[in-house]
Amino acid sequence: MTTEGQGPGPLPPGWYADPSGEPQVRYWTGTRWTERTRPDVQSWVHGPRLVDVPGVFAYGRDPEAAAAVRVSRESRQRALRYLLYAPLAGVVLAVPASIILTSIGLSGAAVWVVYLVALLGVCGWAGGWLPVGRVLWAQHGDRLAGLTGLGKKREVPPPPRPDMWVDLREAGHVAAASRLDVAADHGELTDVDYVRMVRVIRQARGDQDRLALVAAEIEDSGPHSWLHPSGQRDLPARLGEHDLMTGQVRLGVASDTAKNPATHSGQTFALDAEVLRTSLLVIGPTGSGKTRSFARPIVELLGLQTLTNMASVVVIDPHGDYSLPGFFDVDIDPLDPDSQWGFDLYGGARNPAEAADRLAGALLPPGVEPEADAAAHNGLDAALSWFREREGRYPTLKELIVELVEGGPRLLVERLRLLDRPALVELFDGRSEQKFSMRQIDRPMRVRIALPEAAYPQAARILARLAVSQFVQTVSAPDVDRSVFKGLIVDDAGRFVDEYVVQGLQRARAANAGLILLAQSMREFPEDLRATVFANTGCKAVFAGIDPQDAAYIADFWGKQWVAETTVTTGQENTTRSGTITGPPERRRSVQSMGRVRNVRRPGQLLALTGGSSVTQQRSVATRPVERYVWSPSEIINEIPTGHALVSLSTAEGFRTPPVLVDLRG
């Protein structure tokens, strides 16, 4: 193999265009191609995108093609209708128009020229001929020109690709821009690198001194500039298709069904951090695909955005579904003897009252009496305040148990003893060199917290509730860095959500954070919190196999719409000479279509000739508006196929999409 433009000779090792023709680059060792591939960054950056409605994958959508689709069948029919009206109007209005035009001083051929121009102008404006004609010519003009011999298809050169580093070049930092161009040409620049560096360059735009420092860093480190602390420039593996330019992950294809909105039907479906800011509730039974097909791509998306220094993600993993080697910066597993990460029992709380509030909320079981709840909070606050004043730090788990045994509430001591297990004591009190505090997610970080469900089910629940409440506490703090999106993915969320977390769903939205709550049923959530959980999560996803109670809940949330119901009545009358009418009872049926009332009577020919009897057929059609569910409980239960999800989205600005049926395998 030789390098193009260099004459014969071996091609040095590096990244080159994939010989298969795919829009990616493949690594050449110097003697053979490997299986290592990366996206072709230049093609990806300059690829077509159209961002219009939430939930539609922007990458690969041509704005001109989308504009052509918007010229609907109704528009074309209206244009054709006015095209037929024009000759008729020309004949009918010819005489009065000639009289009017002659009276204003026109004569001869000028009358008919002005008349025809005015007629065609009015019909063209009313019929929308111009946009329809433009679309039809773009679609069929070359073929028509070839058939008629009027011209040949012109070879239009492709437009020049815009400069990826125009801000650097315009500021005079040509060397830095050239360094990045060389890295892109040799496949050394990933999509993660591009987004990370463009973000830094744009933040420095307008500040020449800061931009000069940025350019100097690029000249020195190239695509390795401003790396994430992990040193990674990509994930170890990607299961989903991502577009980091728009921050979207592809989940599937919206089914081409009449119940899907026209804006989404047949389009590639995707999610981004903008809709995740409103939080997401996912309901589906075990095995429905909500973890692998839905949650895992979201974890990937937030992991990639973490590597671009734009996000942090925390995953609560009860069953080990997210155990991805090399994926997380912090992997907390109490039962893994090789794990070096501990967990801060107090989450970096700024004062004893804050620490006591979160710890008591996680320790106490659901449905505790208000008196016991107040006693636990007060007892913890007093113990933590006294210990910190005396020792200048918060107590360890063992020390806290000793403090409360001497005078704390008995319930609180019993709950704390559930954590007094060797593995958990090591998690909270040991591993001091690498102890994770929830305050650390204020900078880009990927965190997984595995729960010891099999060994310590009660303690696992306490750990999960503590982590979830600390997350909400952290993102709600007034000094939180809102430039970094913070996402929390919680599996089996119904067991780990309390009133504090539910109230924090709204605060998270304002703090550029979002919670993704996965549950098998709404019944997993405490009964007094179900309505609030449902109302405070802007996005909903429902999978096949949910129970009727959940289906009714979700159908009521998506509401009803007015539709036209047509009732068709048919019957038969036997009429004799005496006027007696006999026949079967009326038969009625309803259809969802528009119609008009009409009666059709067909008198028998024999009666007209002989005066005997005849059979009269009757048919009447009546239309009325009725309210129907957008998706009824029965449709949610029976019409969501396996491998599909019914998803509705919401943005922080309040825009909502109707429910969309998505094929997650598409």
Side-chain angles (χ1 to χ4, degrees):
M1 187 172 182
T2 61
T3 49
E4 183 178 352
Q6 292 182 348
L11 189 69
W15 295 92
Y16 300 96
D18 195 330
S20 67
E22 294 292 326
Q24 60 188 12
V25 292
R26 188 176 294 273
Y27 191 76
W28 171 256
T29 63
T31 57
R32 64 180 181 85
W33 294 106
T34 68
E35 296 301 319
R36 296 169 60 193
T37 61
R38 288 180 179 172
D40 180 4
V41 174
Q42 294 193 30
S43 299
W44 169 72
V45 168
H46 303 303
R49 285 176 179 83
L50 176 62
V51 180
D52 47 7
V53 293
V56 179
F57 197 49
Y59 181 67
R61 297 180 65 206
D62 187 352
E64 294 183 1
V69 171
R70 285 196 291 268
V71 179
S72 61
R73 186 190 317 175
E74 290 77 9
S75 299
R76 301 188 186 195
Q77 289 177 345
R78 184 181 64 179
L80 179 61
R81 188 165 58 247
Y82 275 87
L83 188 62
L84 297 177
Y85 287 167
L88 180 62
V91 173
V92 173
L93 300 177
V95 174
S98 63
I99 296 174
I100 295 173
L101 293 175
T102 303
S103 65
I104 62 174
L106 296 177
S107 62
V111 172
W112 300 111
V113 171
V114 172
Y115 173 58
L116 290 175
V117 169
L119 179 66
L120 293 175
V122 172
C123 290
W125 173 79
W129 290 356
L130 189 60
V132 174
R134 191 184 301 121
V135 170
L136 292 177
W137 178 256
Q139 293 176 342
H140 310 291
D142 293 331
R143 187 189 313 169
L144 181 61
L147 291 175
T148 58
L150 296 178
K152 296 181 179 180
K153 183 178 180 181
R154 291 185 301 169
E155 294 293 336
V156 180
R161 289 182 170 182
D163 187 358
M164 292 196 297
W165 317 108
V166 62
D167 290 326
L168 288 175
R169 283 196 171 88
E170 288 182 350
H173 304 293
V174 179
S178 299
R179 174 74 188 272
L180 295 177
D181 284 335
V182 170
D185 291 339
H186 289 81
E188 292 294 336
L189 187 76
T190 68
D191 55 347
V192 174
D193 295 331
Y194 176 79
V195 173
R196 185 180 67 249
M197 282 184 286
V198 164
R199 179 171 180 261
V200 175
I201 292 170
R202 288 178 178 173
Q203 287 175 342
R205 187 165 48 190
D207 187 340
Q208 294 301 320
D209 294 336
R210 185 178 177 186
L211 194 58
L213 295 175
V214 169
E217 176 68 21
I218 292 174
E219 290 182 40
D220 183 53
S221 302
H224 298 269
S225 304
W226 306 288
L227 278 181
H228 183 263
S230 67
Q232 292 182 341
R233 299 167 60 201
D234 202 350
L235 298 178
R238 299 190 191 186
L239 294 179
E241 181 182 349
H242 301 266
D243 180 29
L244 296 183
M245 288 274 284
T246 55
Q248 291 182 309
V249 57
R250 180 188 187 278
L251 295 181
V253 177
S255 300
D256 191 7
T257 173
K259 294 188 73 67
N260 272 348
T263 52
H264 292 74
S265 183
Q267 298 287 344
T268 304
F269 192 82
L271 291 181
D272 56 33
E274 183 60 28
V275 297
L276 294 179
R277 277 182 60 190
T278 65
S279 295
L280 169 64
L281 177 64
V282 184
I283 303 296
T286 301
S288 60
K290 65 179 184 296
T291 300
R292 179 174 179 81
S293 302
F294 205 83
R296 279 277 293 272
I298 295 175
V299 173
E300 277 189 15
L301 170 67
L302 297 181
L304 286 169
Q305 291 195 329
T306 299
L307 296 181
T308 65
N309 297 324
M310 296 173 63
S312 284
V313 58
V314 179
V315 178
I316 308 297
D317 189 5
H319 311 297
D321 295 323
Y322 305 94
S323 181
L324 306 172
F327 189 94
F328 294 96
D329 307 310
V330 176
D331 201 331
I332 300 172
D333 190 345
L335 301 182
D336 183 2
D338 297 328
S339 176
Q340 301 299 315
W341 283 97
F343 186 81
D344 187 352
L345 189 63
Y346 308 102
R350 291 166 295 187
N351 55 70
E354 191 178 88
D357 186 53
R358 293 302 91 234
L359 186 55
L363 289 170
L364 296 178
V368 68
E369 295 294 331
E371 295 79 5
D373 181 80
H377 280 75
N378 293 334
L380 262 179
D381 189 10
L384 294 177
S385 299
W386 172 248
F387 191 94
R388 190 178 186 187
E389 183 178 348
R390 187 176 72 241
E391 303 291 339
R393 60 176 176 85
Y394 289 119
T396 64
L397 176 62
K398 286 281 192 180
E399 291 170 338
L400 181 59
I401 293 175
V402 171
E403 289 286 329
L404 291 173
V405 164
E406 298 177 357
R410 182 178 177 181
L411 175 61
L412 194 58
V413 175
E414 292 175 353
R415 299 294 293 179
L416 268 175
R417 287 193 185 279
L418 293 173
L419 302 178
D420 192 6
R421 305 291 187 270
L424 298 176
V425 171
E426 175 67 15
L427 177 72
F428 293 116
D429 294 351
R431 308 176 182 177
S432 57
E433 294 183 359
Q434 288 186 306
K435 181 166 290 187
F436 170 71
S437 172
M438 196 62 73
R439 289 282 179 190
Q440 294 175 259
I441 65 170
D442 214 26
R443 57 184 176 84
M445 180 175 287
R446 300 164 295 174
V447 183
R448 171 180 171 263
I449 302 176
L451 302 181
E453 285 275 346
Y456 313 115
Q458 290 287 342
R461 183 176 179 276
I462 293 173
L463 174 60
R465 292 188 64 180
L466 186 61
V468 173
S469 61
Q470 285 182 358
F471 177 89
V472 173
Q473 187 179 57
T474 297
V475 301
S476 303
D479 58 347
V480 68
D481 184 0
R482 288 176 169 80
S483 66
V484 176
F485 176 83
K486 300 169 184 64
L488 175 69
I489 292 91
V490 189
D491 219 339
D492 289 349
R495 298 183 295 145
F496 312 136
V497 170
D498 59 15
E499 184 177 359
Y500 175 80
V501 174
V502 172
Q503 293 173 352
L505 287 170
Q506 290 291 344
R507 295 197 296 271
R509 178 183 305 188
N512 193 25
L515 284 74
I516 295 90
L517 307 178
L518 291 85
Q520 297 185 33
S521 171
M522 286 298 298
R523 287 178 294 182
E524 294 181 6
F525 295 92
E527 186 175 358
D528 58 327
L529 298 179
R530 290 174 195 168
T532 312
V533 168
F534 214 84
N536 287 358
T537 48
C539 304
K540 311 288 189 298
V542 182
F543 283 74
I546 67 171
D547 60 45
Q549 184 176 352
D550 287 341
Y553 212 96
I554 293 162
D556 286 336
F557 171 79
W558 281 329
K560 299 180 179 181
Q561 61 184 354
W562 289 99
V563 298
E565 181 184 73
T566 300
T567 303
V568 180
T569 305
T570 60
Q572 176 177 300
E573 296 178 356
N574 296 326
T575 307
T576 65
R577 292 183 61 185
S578 62
T580 305
I581 299 175
T582 61
E586 292 182 342
R587 295 167 295 172
R588 298 178 181 270
R589 60 188 176 91
S590 296
V591 295
Q592 300 295 324
S593 63
M594 297 296 292
R596 62 185 182 189
V597 179
R598 56 180 179 180
N599 293 302
V600 181
R601 298 178 63 88
R602 297 184 177 88
Q605 299 298 323
L606 186 60
L607 179 62
L609 296 175
T610 65
S613 63
S614 71
V615 177
T616 303
Q617 299 289 339
Q618 283 195 335
R619 181 175 181 272
S620 63
V621 182
T623 301
R624 59 172 183 165
V626 295
E627 269 193 309
R628 300 291 187 204
Y629 279 110
V630 175
W631 275 82
S632 70
S634 176
E635 290 170 335
I636 292 174
I637 295 171
N638 299 310
E639 296 186 16
I640 301 180
T642 302
H644 289 63
L646 193 58
V647 189
S648 66
L649 302 178
S650 176
T651 66
E653 289 75 22
F655 180 85
R656 293 180 179 271
T657 68
V660 181
L661 183 63
V662 181
D663 182 359
L664 300 174
R665 300 168 301 186

